[in-house]
Amino acid sequence: MGTKGMEKPRAGRLRRLLRWAAGGFAALALFVLGCNLYVVLETRSLAHDDVADVPVSAVGLVLGTLPGNDFFEHRLDSAAVLWKAGKVKTLVLSGDGGPEGQNQLGRMSEGLVRRGVPATALVRDPAGYRTLDSLARVSSYGGAGGVVIVSQRFHNYRALLLAEHYGVPVSAYCAAHSESAREVMRSEWREILARVKVLLDLHMLGTVPREPPPK
């Protein structure tokens, strides 16, 4: 068989391989898109930009992030507004309380006190390693009486879905984004994958909190 005869079967196999790869990529893209649409459409009516629209609840749950960036500061701004508006009596600060968390909870407390929230209104949840952990534990801190989640809108959708899964009466107050377009884009892309993971965690993997809720 000549060289040209050998090239034809190889070319045919390559085309088939490329078609299978394209089909697999398209299926994966549709799966990711479907997961994201489900999370957003299921929860968007519960996410509020205006504090006047937020229902009065027992606690506000402030989800932790790395201290010092725009996301962190805006969450504290929104938490203070929520408390001063009388929408919640207590703010639960949920984040990594260990050294790896760069003292998230201490910085959150200090920032809220500077914004006029009394220390007596603040409760720390030091085992909020992930959003799943925070929402699984919030009922132990009074969340059974209703929770207002405080984070950016892109994050709130996933947090709201988790709250509903754990049977927590919930709404969300959306903090402002970062002023950095690069940080916003990075966070939005990361959240696209996080929404897929949360559905896998809840409905396929059976993921549980790293530490059990306090009694």
Side-chain angles (χ1 to χ4, degrees):
M1 182 182 295
T3 303
K4 291 184 178 179
M6 294 176 63
E7 288 177 351
K8 288 182 180 180
R10 290 176 181 171
R13 287 195 295 270
L14 179 60
R15 283 194 294 270
R16 286 195 297 272
L17 179 61
L18 291 174
R19 284 197 295 269
W20 291 339
F25 180 80
L28 178 61
L30 284 173
F31 175 72
V32 171
L33 176 62
C35 288
N36 274 264
L37 284 174
Y38 174 80
V39 172
V40 173
L41 294 177
E42 183 74 11
T43 60
R44 64 179 179 178
S45 65
L46 299 171
H48 306 289
D49 295 304
D50 188 341
V51 72
D53 296 329
V54 177
V56 175
S57 301
V59 302
L61 176 65
V62 188
L63 296 175
T65 187
L66 288 177
N69 63 28
D70 290 339
F71 293 116
F72 179 86
E73 298 298 334
H74 290 324
R75 289 183 197 184
L76 298 189
D77 290 340
S78 296
V81 168
L82 189 71
W83 184 85
K84 291 176 182 178
K87 296 295 183 175
V88 298
K89 292 183 178 180
T90 302
L91 292 172
V92 175
L93 314 180
S94 188
D96 187 344
E100 292 182 1
Q102 298 184 24
N103 195 23
Q104 279 187 28
L105 301 183
R107 295 280 296 276
M108 292 167 80
S109 296
E110 292 167 4
L112 285 165
V113 169
R114 285 199 306 272
R115 288 165 171 82
V117 180
T120 53
L122 306 177
V123 175
R124 299 187 186 190
D125 172 20
Y129 306 111
R130 301 162 300 172
T131 306
L132 183 147
D133 294 273
S134 298
L135 272 302
R137 295 166 56 84
V138 71
S139 289
S140 299
Y141 295 100
V147 173
V148 181
I149 299 168
V150 180
S151 187
Q152 278 69 29
R153 176 174 285 275
F154 68 85
H155 185 198
N156 277 337
Y157 294 134
R158 176 163 53 99
L160 286 163
L161 190 81
L162 282 161
E164 290 187 329
H165 175 80
Y166 289 115
V168 178
V170 70
S171 62
Y173 184 37
C174 300
H177 274 298
S178 169
E179 278 72 36
S180 167
R182 180 180 179 182
E183 287 300 319
V184 171
M185 184 171 293
R186 180 186 301 172
S187 298
E188 294 279 5
W189 276 108
R190 186 166 55 236
E191 189 63 25
I192 287 172
L193 297 179
R195 290 176 190 146
V196 176
K197 187 175 185 306
V198 75
L199 292 176
L200 295 176
D201 282 338
L202 296 180
H203 302 294
M204 292 186 65
L205 302 177
T207 305
V208 298
R210 193 181 304 181
E211 294 184 21
K215 296 182 179 180

